[in-house]
Amino acid sequence: MKVVIVGGVAGGATAAARLRRLDETAEIVLFERSGFISYANCGLPYYIGGVIEDEAELTLQTPESFARRFGVQVHVRHEVTAIDRAAKTVTVRDLATGRTFAEPYDKLLLAPGAKPTRPALPGIGLGRLFTLRTVEDTLRIHEFVTAQRPRSVVLAGGGFIGLELAENLRARGLEVTIVQRPAHLMSPFDADMAALLHREVRAHGVRLALGHTVEGFAETQGGVQVLLRDAPPLAADFVVLAIGVTPDSHLAADAGLDLGVKGSIAVNDRMQTSDPDIYAVGDAVQVRHFVTGQPAVVALAGPANKQGRIAADNICGGDSRYRGAQGSSVLKVFDLTAAVTGLSEAAARKAGLDADAVLLSPMDHAGYYPGGSVMTMKVVFERGSGRLLGAQVIGRSGADKRIDVLATALRAGWTAADLTELDLAYAPPYASAKDPVNMAGYMIENLRTGKVQQFRLEDLPALPRDGSVTLLDARTPGEYRAGHADGFANLPLDDLRARLGELDPAKPVYVMCQSGLRSYLACRILAQHGFACYNFAGGYRYYEAVTTDRRQREQAFACGMDRPGT
């Protein structure tokens, strides 16, 4: 059997190695159009920033080492330009010599990945515009920053690459501005959780121009202007386009293979295309979203690796299945860790699910043990069934651990009630006896069983301030004086029982505290005394972060960007 693989990196290289482990006699030929067969794609921004100092550390396998270990014929700087399905050959161009030749196959595996999105805008071809996808891209940016010593950069896009570059270029002393059309960074996160990321990047001097559409680029003396719709242009020494990626599916399309959403390559759960002898994996393929069951494109290294292994199993006569992707990912944002799995609340509702969420702000480990820090967690669930739909965790420590537990629970199809029963490791330096994951489960179960009702940030503007409802802040007087929500009167939790007579049982009571715990306790007291009580989801700490971010974005929109540090 001869297997030809188009593309290396995560999907293609993984498939090649798995094929060899399963079939020592197979002839395996891999073509990669870049100069690198297997490299640490996620580490590229950290080489630009100097965190990874040695360029060689980016390369996981060279063509020579891969050939020695796995007996794979590796051809880098070779681009596959066409597929002849009837003849079962691919046309290959040697990029070094220009020679073109046909390569036969018995089975073909496509792992072309995705390419940086480059919209057809004026000035898109300027020399000071870069993209970051390959090692070659990284080396070009690194060389430019080292040789030209630019002072400023505009990053068009606030996703994974944009934020990682922002941190690394700030570390090199550059003035950094992120501009993008969506009104918040990191689209897998809900806007309220992204507010915490906005605060962090602003605190490190990154300017944000959110909600602005880039309409083109203009060359200036030694720099670039980023032209915005309805706002003044942004000036910088260079620009990096990080507005997303597009499935590189032209080979499949030209060969008449079925395509899916966003022009991706359609495959079944065995990673097989509409041609049974052609498989496809990685960022170019359409997969099933694990939570919704709907078609999706998930451009992450973890799914690509799994798909490569599954495709190899099936090429060798196995019956492995890919059950879908849920988008679990984690990102370092300066001193924060931001992690996500499954659907955001907004995405769940867009998918037609009856979604709700709980917000909590637990410590990453026991509060009495030194060095603890607060995390913010948002866990999304389906109202009727209690089924977990997704989660977002942001904090200085412990976020990665909790998201992995929640991702596992989601994969298992668990409900919130199952979270309460998880037997998780505890010691004061690492966790609390009731882990934050357990707490999220308790909170969801309290909602579902009617032990508490909650109101959300979006409900606040509609609450009457005419005395027809009671608005209470259950924090201490000192906390209240430091800042409080408009219209909320201070009645500390510890004084509540003694002052119940001051409240009108005929009026609904809406309670807020710092994190949501004391207001929950207040609601349990009030409910058992005949009051209709609602607990504010997230607490004042969350309220202050989100509302401050909204004010800053509104102020910045008028002039096109934030001021650093605001």
Side-chain angles (χ1 to χ4, degrees):
M1 177 177 63
K2 180 176 181 179
V3 183
V4 171
I5 300 174
V6 181
V9 199
T14 295
R18 177 69 171 172
L19 282 165
R20 178 56 71 220
R21 291 195 297 272
L22 295 176
D23 188 343
E24 185 64 22
T25 65
E27 181 182 359
I28 306 169
V29 182
L30 189 151
F31 295 107
E32 166 59 46
R33 65 185 162 203
S34 77
F36 300 84
I37 176 182
S38 180
Y39 55 87
N41 188 283
C42 298
L44 301 182
Y46 298 97
Y47 176 68
I48 293 170
V51 177
I52 298 172
E53 297 180 354
D54 186 355
E55 175 190 330
E57 293 294 325
L58 297 173
T59 304
L60 305 178
Q61 289 276 0
T62 66
E64 295 76 19
S65 67
F66 200 80
R68 283 195 303 271
R69 176 159 297 180
F70 297 108
V72 175
Q73 301 174 42
V74 178
H75 303 277
V76 294
R77 297 188 179 87
H78 280 66
E79 181 177 15
V80 174
T81 59
I83 303 168
D84 186 332
R85 292 166 55 191
K88 298 188 75 170
T89 63
V90 293
T91 302
V92 186
R93 181 170 66 245
D94 184 336
L95 298 179
T97 66
R99 181 176 73 94
T100 298
F101 59 94
E103 185 78 20
Y105 66 84
D106 296 311
K107 301 290 183 181
L108 176 64
L109 175 66
L110 303 178
K115 52 191 176 184
T117 303
R118 292 178 66 94
L121 297 174
I124 195 70
L126 293 178
R128 286 176 177 252
L129 263 65
F130 298 87
T131 58
L132 180 57
R133 185 68 180 172
T134 66
V135 174
E136 286 91 345
D137 295 335
T138 306
L139 299 180
R140 280 192 289 270
I141 297 173
H142 186 275
E143 181 182 2
F144 178 85
V145 172
T146 302
Q148 301 296 322
R149 299 189 179 276
R151 293 177 297 176
S152 60
V153 60
V154 168
L155 306 176
F160 289 97
I161 292 296
L163 283 179
E164 288 171 345
L165 271 176
E167 178 177 349
N168 281 280
L169 292 173
R170 281 296 294 152
R172 295 194 64 156
L174 276 75
E175 295 178 4
V176 177
T177 301
I178 298 176
V179 58
Q180 66 170 22
R181 183 166 52 192
H184 71 81
L185 301 174
M186 291 298 295
S187 60
F189 289 77
D190 284 307
D192 54 353
M193 294 294 285
L196 306 176
L197 304 180
H198 298 171
R199 181 172 62 185
E200 180 73 3
V201 298
R202 289 185 182 115
H204 285 84
V206 176
R207 298 175 176 179
L208 299 178
L210 304 176
H212 288 284
T213 300
V214 176
E215 294 203 316
F217 306 92
E219 190 170 15
T220 63
Q221 184 64 37
V224 181
Q225 276 195 334
V226 180
L227 308 177
L228 305 178
R229 181 184 302 167
D230 301 326
L234 303 176
D237 293 329
F238 71 108
V239 173
V240 180
L241 294 176
I243 58 178
V245 294
T246 303
D248 193 353
S249 57
H250 72 279
L251 266 180
D254 292 346
L257 298 176
D258 290 349
L259 300 182
V261 295
K262 300 180 181 178
S264 57
I265 305 170
V267 294
N268 60 22
D269 60 359
R270 303 180 76 249
M271 308 314 298
Q272 210 166 21
T273 70
S274 53
D275 184 322
D277 289 324
I278 302 178
Y279 294 74
V281 301
D283 295 354
V285 306
Q286 171 185 286
V287 296
R288 172 183 173 270
H289 194 285
F290 185 79
V291 180
T292 66
Q294 298 302 308
V297 176
V298 180
L300 293 169
N305 275 282
K306 296 176 182 67
Q307 293 159 19
R309 179 185 177 92
I310 288 168
D313 286 353
N314 294 322
I315 288 171
C316 290
D319 188 24
S320 294
R321 307 280 173 161
Y322 186 69
R323 295 179 57 203
Q326 63 198 62
S328 301
S329 52
V330 64
L331 175 71
K332 182 180 182 295
V333 185
F334 292 98
D335 296 327
L336 290 181
T337 297
V340 63
T341 189
L343 298 175
S344 66
E345 186 177 12
R349 291 179 175 173
K350 185 177 180 181
L353 296 168
D354 185 14
D356 200 354
V358 292
L359 289 140
L360 58 158
S361 300
M363 297 288 285
D364 66 314
H365 62 241
Y368 59 82
Y369 189 87
S373 60
V374 174
M375 296 183 292
T376 301
M377 299 175 59
K378 184 173 188 177
V379 181
V380 184
F381 63 97
E382 191 173 44
R383 279 194 177 94
S385 65
R387 177 173 67 111
L388 296 173
L389 301 177
Q392 300 154 59
V393 187
I394 297 175
R396 299 188 182 281
S397 177
D400 53 342
K401 170 181 175 178
R402 272 67 189 204
I403 208 68
D404 281 343
V405 174
L406 289 163
T408 303
L410 192 154
R411 194 74 178 184
W414 285 0
T415 67
D418 296 311
L419 297 182
T420 68
E421 298 180 9
L422 281 174
D423 190 354
L424 301 173
Y426 158 64
Y430 304 106
S432 299
K434 287 189 287 191
D435 191 85
V437 174
N438 298 132
M439 293 302 301
Y442 294 140
M443 291 171 66
I444 295 171
E445 279 303 284
N446 283 339
L447 286 174
R448 296 188 67 246
T449 57
K451 292 183 177 65
V452 70
Q453 300 178 82
Q454 68 177 5
F455 67 108
R456 304 285 297 277
L457 185 65
E458 57 267 28
D459 301 321
L460 271 175
L463 290 181
R465 266 67 172 182
D466 59 2
S468 59
V469 301
T470 301
L471 307 179
L472 292 183
D473 188 315
R475 297 176 299 159
T476 66
E479 290 174 305
Y480 181 81
R481 286 192 298 270
H484 57 270
D486 180 50
F488 281 72
N490 189 216
L491 201 172
L493 171 66
D494 293 340
D495 298 340
L496 178 58
R497 289 186 180 89
R499 296 174 60 183
L500 281 174
E502 300 176 20
L503 305 179
D504 184 349
K507 297 179 181 180
V509 183
Y510 294 81
V511 192
M512 182 182 292
C513 73
Q514 190 72 1
S515 67
L517 174 59
R518 282 173 287 177
S519 52
Y520 162 66
L521 297 175
C523 277
R524 290 302 302 145
I525 294 170
L526 290 165
Q528 294 176 78
H529 285 85
F531 290 82
C533 189
Y534 301 84
N535 180 30
F536 179 68
Y540 181 79
R541 181 188 293 113
Y542 158 84
Y543 163 85
E544 190 274 334
V546 178
T547 54
T548 298
D549 176 63
R550 286 179 179 175
R551 286 195 301 271
Q552 289 178 330
R553 283 190 285 127
E554 289 166 0
Q555 294 164 2
F557 193 87
C559 64
M561 73 171 86
D562 292 345
R563 291 181 176 85
T566 60

